[in-house]
Amino acid sequence: MEIDEAVLALAALSQSTRLEAFRTLVRHEPDGLAAGDLARLLEVPQNTLSAHLAILSRAGLVSSVRHGRSIVYRAGLTEFRDVAVFLLRDCCGGRPEVCEPVVETLQSCCAPKRKERSRA
């Protein structure tokens, strides 16, 4: 990832409605959400949300697909991962122990939930 791409993504996420839209889309992966449903969840006018989604789209953080009369938006998880890795790779400066607490936190918060086995 180039620095200009990282700046574009971080700038796109630096506004509260856009950040909340992205977070909501992440929670609705892999199906995504129709634009109208996302606007209702965020309590934002559709035309305002459309402008925010365009900024996130230009940054590669959301994608859209038309399904009939609806446009369904999905989070760009690969692009988000690339931004996170870009930041972590540069923060370590060749010293992995500097970023170790961050990596441990990411691993614990994002670990898949294990299903409990029933005891019969």
Side-chain angles (χ1 to χ4, degrees):
M1 167 165 279
E2 299 294 324
I3 195 163
D4 292 341
E5 294 169 308
V7 168
L8 186 63
L10 293 169
L13 293 171
S14 70
Q15 196 277 342
S16 61
T17 302
R18 291 192 295 268
L19 179 58
E20 198 54 38
F22 180 77
R23 293 178 71 209
T24 302
L25 289 172
V26 168
R27 286 191 295 274
H28 285 85
E29 277 298 307
D31 299 325
L33 277 173
D37 294 336
L38 183 57
R40 278 186 290 284
L41 284 172
L42 298 178
E43 298 177 351
V44 176
Q46 287 188 10
N47 60 339
T48 301
L49 182 63
S50 179
H52 288 304
L53 289 170
I55 291 168
L56 289 166
S57 182
R58 280 193 294 277
L61 294 171
V62 299
S63 61
S64 62
V65 175
R66 181 171 289 282
H67 288 287
R69 295 177 54 190
S70 295
I71 299 176
V72 174
Y73 286 88
R74 292 192 57 213
L77 297 178
T78 300
E79 291 77 6
F80 182 71
R81 181 203 64 210
D82 292 347
V83 172
V85 168
F86 174 82
L87 291 172
L88 287 173
R89 185 170 288 138
D90 287 349
C91 88
C92 296
R95 296 177 36 224
E97 69 277 4
V98 173
C99 290
E100 188 174 338
V102 174
V103 172
E104 286 177 7
T105 301
L106 289 172
Q107 289 174 336
S108 66
C109 81
C110 299
K113 292 183 173 56
R114 292 171 27 170
K115 294 181 182 178
E116 291 186 29
R117 291 191 281 178
S118 62
R119 296 179 186 170

